[in-house]
Structures are given as structure tokens and as C-alpha cells.
Amino acid sequence: MPGIRPRTAVEVLQRSNGAADALTTGDLHLPGHIGYALTGRRGLGDADMLELLAPYAGQRHRAARLILLTGRIPSRREPRAPLGRIARL
């Protein structure tokens, strides 16, 4: 079906069918968050995430959701931009 790619199909299966092992790959932040939460290292990719979640085969999506709920994500690399004064506009 046009417009339905593998990532979209996995996301739909997770939410509509409760697919416990359907893990999203190709996401920008998910591998980094999972990798940081489990190893403390930054910059991990999809292959690393799949390797880390291999012990949870059959429940990888659920394991990833629980890991994300811990709130252990990498800190921002730069501070937020300061708020400007609207009067200067």
C-alpha cells in the first residue's frame, strides 16, 4: 500500500494489536535512549539496540517501553536558548 512503510506497519501493530515484540527501527532517538539507559554510552544505533534487547526476545517492545519509562535519557548537549525580551522586537 502506498505510504505504508515498515516503520509505520510496526507502529500500527504495536498500538492496535499489542505486538509485544514489534520494535521500531529507523527511529532517530529510540536507539540512543535505549543504549544510554542500558550502557551509559551515547550514539548507539539500531544494531546496538537490537543486540541489547536480544535477551528480551518476544517482549522487546514492552522492554523498550519500560526502559523509556525510567526516564534515564542522555542530557542535552547544549543549554536551552535564553528567552529574549519581546520589547526588543
Side-chain angles (χ1 to χ4, degrees), residues 1-42:
M1 187 180 295
I4 304 296
R5 299 184 62 173
R7 180 175 173 201
T8 305
V10 168
E11 292 288 334
V12 169
L13 285 173
Q14 289 170 353
R15 284 154 181 81
S16 66
N17 297 0
D21 197 45
L23 187 62
T24 304
T25 56
D27 189 272
L28 180 62
H29 301 291
L30 184 63
H33 290 328
I34 298 294
Y36 183 80
L38 295 178
T39 66
R41 296 182 317 195
R42 291 179 176 264

Side-chain angles (χ1 to χ4, degrees), residues 29-45 48-49 52 67-68 70-77:
H29 301 291
L30 184 63
H33 290 328
I34 298 294
Y36 183 80
L38 295 178
T39 66
R41 296 182 317 195
R42 291 179 176 264
L44 298 179
D48 300 316
M49 176 182 66
L52 288 170
I67 291 167
L68 292 175
T70 65
R72 185 164 189 241
I73 60 172
S75 60
R76 297 175 63 106
R77 292 178 185 251

